[in-house]
Amino acid sequence: MTTSVEQLENAIRQQAQHLANSHLQSAQHQVNKILSDANQRHHLQETRQVQKAQTLADQHFQRQLQATEIQLQTALDQLRWNLIQSTLQQLNTHLQQLTGEPQTYLPLLQQFLINAVGHFKDSKLVVEVTANDYSRLSSQWSEFCQVIPGKHCELKVTDSMITGGLIVHDEENRLRINNSFEGLIEQLEDPLYQAITTQLFATIIPIRSH
C-alpha cells in the first residue's frame, strides 16, 4: 500500500515537474518573442528617427544651399551691374574725348547729320549741337552741310544736356531725331547691354548646373 502511494506521489511530482517545465519553456518562448518584438520595434523606431533626422538634415542643408545660391546670385548680379555701368562710363568718357579730335569727330557728325536728315521730307530743318560744336561749326556750316544737298539746315545751340552729336528737327519741332551721343546710347541700350554682358560674362560658369 505504501509503495503504491509513493509511486502515485512520484508520478504526481513527475507530472507536476513535467507541466512546470512545459510552462517554463512556454513562458521562456513568450519572453523571447516579446523581447524580439520589442527589439524589432526599437530598431524600427531608431531607423525612423535616423531617417527623420536625415530628412531634417537634408532639408536644412537644402535651405542653406538655396540661401547661399541666392546670395551668390545677388552678388553676381551686383557685379554684373557694376561692370556694365563702369563700361558705359568708360564709353561716355571715350565719346567725350572723341569731341576733342576734329579729324575723327567732324566726319562722324556729318554721318549723324546724313542719317537724321534722311527721316525728313521737309527741306528746312534745324540742327542743334553743343555750344562748343556750335563755335566750331558756325564758320564752316555751309561747307559742312554739303553732304546733304537740297536741305537747308539752321544751326543752333541745344538746350538739351548732351556731350556730343546732334539733334535734328523740323521747323515746327514736331519730329525730332536725336543723334546725340546720349540719344544714340539710349536707342541702343538693349543691344549695348547685351553686347557688354556677353563680352564680360561669356566665360562665367552658372552657379548650378541642374
Side-chain angles (χ1 to χ4, degrees):
M1 185 68 175
T2 303
T3 302
S4 298
V5 171
E6 290 177 353
Q7 289 177 347
L8 180 58
E9 290 177 351
N10 289 334
I12 291 172
R13 281 196 296 270
Q14 290 176 359
Q15 183 64 27
Q17 185 66 39
H18 176 71
L19 290 174
N21 290 337
S22 178
H23 285 304
L24 181 61
Q25 291 177 358
S26 178
Q28 186 63 47
H29 178 72
Q30 291 297 325
V31 169
N32 290 338
K33 186 176 185 305
I34 291 172
L35 291 175
S36 177
D37 291 344
N39 286 333
Q40 289 181 358
R41 287 195 296 271
H42 181 67
H43 178 69
L44 180 60
Q45 185 177 10
E46 284 184 339
T47 301
R48 288 175 178 172
Q49 289 178 346
V50 170
Q51 290 175 344
K52 182 179 180 180
Q54 184 64 46
T55 299
L56 291 175
D58 289 343
Q59 292 174 349
H60 179 67
F61 174 76
Q62 288 298 326
R63 287 195 295 269
Q64 285 187 321
L65 180 61
Q66 291 173 359
T68 300
E69 288 176 351
I70 291 173
Q71 291 175 351
L72 289 175
Q73 187 62 55
T74 300
L76 180 59
D77 289 343
Q78 185 62 49
L79 173 62
R80 179 183 287 109
W81 175 254
N82 290 341
L83 287 175
I84 289 175
Q85 294 305 308
S86 175
T87 302
L88 288 176
Q89 182 59 46
Q90 292 176 8
L91 175 61
N92 288 329
T93 300
H94 171 73
L95 292 175
Q96 290 175 7
Q97 293 173 347
L98 183 63
T99 62
E101 303 172 5
Q103 293 181 346
T104 302
Y105 179 56
L106 293 183
L108 183 62
L109 274 183
Q110 286 183 316
Q111 291 300 316
F112 287 171
L113 181 61
I114 293 171
N115 174 270
V117 167
H119 292 83
F120 294 89
K121 294 181 180 180
D122 307 60
S123 59
K124 293 183 178 181
L125 301 171
V126 177
V127 179
E128 297 182 3
V129 296
T130 65
N132 287 337
D133 287 344
Y134 181 86
S135 298
R136 180 184 302 175
L137 293 172
S138 57
S139 61
Q140 52 176 317
W141 185 236
S142 297
E143 292 81 1
F144 188 86
C145 291
Q146 288 178 357
V147 294
I148 49 170
K151 300 289 185 180
H152 174 75
C153 294
E154 180 184 359
L155 184 65
K156 286 187 175 181
V157 176
T158 185
D159 293 329
S160 302
M161 298 296 294
I162 64 175
T163 57
L166 47 81
I167 300 172
V168 179
H169 60 82
D170 55 20
E171 289 185 312
E172 293 77 18
N173 202 16
R174 291 176 300 182
L175 175 62
R176 293 172 63 89
I177 301 299
N178 189 345
N179 275 358
S180 66
F181 289 159
E182 287 73 14
L184 292 171
I185 289 177
E186 182 178 355
Q187 294 171 33
L188 298 173
E189 182 177 11
D190 289 341
L192 276 175
Y193 271 60
Q194 182 62 42
I196 293 171
T197 301
T198 300
Q199 189 66 27
L200 290 176
F201 301 99
T203 60
I204 287 185
I205 301 173
I207 294 176
R208 301 190 74 174
S209 58
H210 60 281

